[in-house]
Amino acid sequence: MASNTYHPGQLLQEKDHQPSSGGLGALGEADGVMDLTSPGLVNDVFGEEENHDIKYKTLTWQLVAVMMITEIVSNGMLTLPSSLDAVGIVPGVIVIAFLGAFATFTSWVLIEFKLRHPEVHNMGDAGYILFGPIGREILAGGTIIFAICATGSQILAGQLALTVLSDAKLCALAFAGIFTVATTICSFSRTLDHLSWLSVAGGASIIVAGVVAMAGAGAVPVDPGDVFIARATDFPSAFISITNPVFAYAGHFMFFILISEMKNPKDAMKAAWTLQIIATAFYIVFSVVTYWYIGKGVSSPSLLSLSPLWSKISFGLAIPNFFISGSLYSHTAAKLVFVRLFRRSRHIHSHTFTGWGIWTLLILLANAAAFVFAVGIPVFNYLVGITASLFAAWYTYGLAGAFWLHDTYHFKGGYSAWFQKPTMFTINVFTILAGAFICVGGLYATIYSLIQAAAAGELIQPFQC
């Protein structure tokens, strides 16, 4: 895919040997950040929009925070009680709290990188700046694959919710199809502005569903207090349990796209702080309360361990989040390709037949692929784990370290600038190593579990009713 006359990272390449005299210190000072509010900023993803039919830069930080909450605090949250069961309450809570703080730090580094490089629209663009054309294709392709798999995961969550609500009175495949249609319709808007208002309902629904689930666990407990405080287990089981909270924070791959459609990108960190505080606090409370009242052997997702009535109520309340967050994921996959094809062309901002035709095709392809992956691949759940390990581990954690090293080098005067900030240098090297560890460990644990499941005959058949 070749972009129209424009290449991400082009401005940086022209200035690689002319570092900014103002600099950015430890990447937090404002004097080195471009003023993205200036009208006519040439290097911005969408440029000046005042006289265009379709305007993208409409989001406030509050709406971006809601969208982040909707796509991150979603069905992944429902696996956290089982993670506590696998490693114990104390280690589980420590991991969740640490990952929340870690994700906040990497959010900050990612946002600072975006403010310095307003031409960056997605992880592919960032990959071009860091690693050249090959990096662009790998990180852009990874974003698309992960977004489609995440959409498929939400389709399966919706399928399960509808199956529970109906007492399995309709073929599960039909429920997946119904949910895919709803996801497709919601993802169809060309801009994120319309999705942002839907996300208010999506974010509220998962929070309310979680509160109701905790109430249901308390009202009809299974084995209250019969929990592990700390538990030793084998590496694959422990690591998979730990990766549940790891990937419960895995929304950073969308951040560049969200920030690109903000009115004032400098406010992005406010949205990130809101997300991480709410997510971390809610994850801890939800996982501990649910695990305490359900006890050992809690299911994943945990709503299946509730009494039938409370399970139905909780699943019903969560449904809006499942299809709205799925819409955000499929929209992300389509938007990346669309902007790549038409950046700086009239099809981006005008109601052209070509623009709407390609956009429609991309949305249909993204959601159709998610549906086929979800119901047609027997190992889909393991595929999600593999793609999360390969890509989300880097997008959420590891790449942030590379962003800091790159910008410190180019904006502060070369390798010596790294060692002038020894604490930041150490933290960001650790961030890269952490991304590598999560990637390799996650791949090993997921593939090991896949082999075990295949040997035990536990893989489901494709397109199973």
Side-chain angles (χ1 to χ4, degrees), residues 263-288:
K263 293 178 181 177
N264 185 7
K266 291 180 181 179
D267 287 338
M269 197 59 211
K270 296 178 183 178
W273 273 112
T274 303
L275 161 70
Q276 302 300 352
I277 291 171
I278 291 176
T280 302
F282 195 69
Y283 285 168
I284 292 173
V285 172
F286 175 80
S287 57
V288 170

Side-chain angles (χ1 to χ4, degrees), residues 38-54:
S38 299
L41 184 62
V42 175
N43 215 36
D44 183 74
V45 174
F46 297 109
E48 176 56 54
E49 295 190 311
E50 184 176 350
N51 298 317
H52 288 297
D53 297 328
I54 301 174

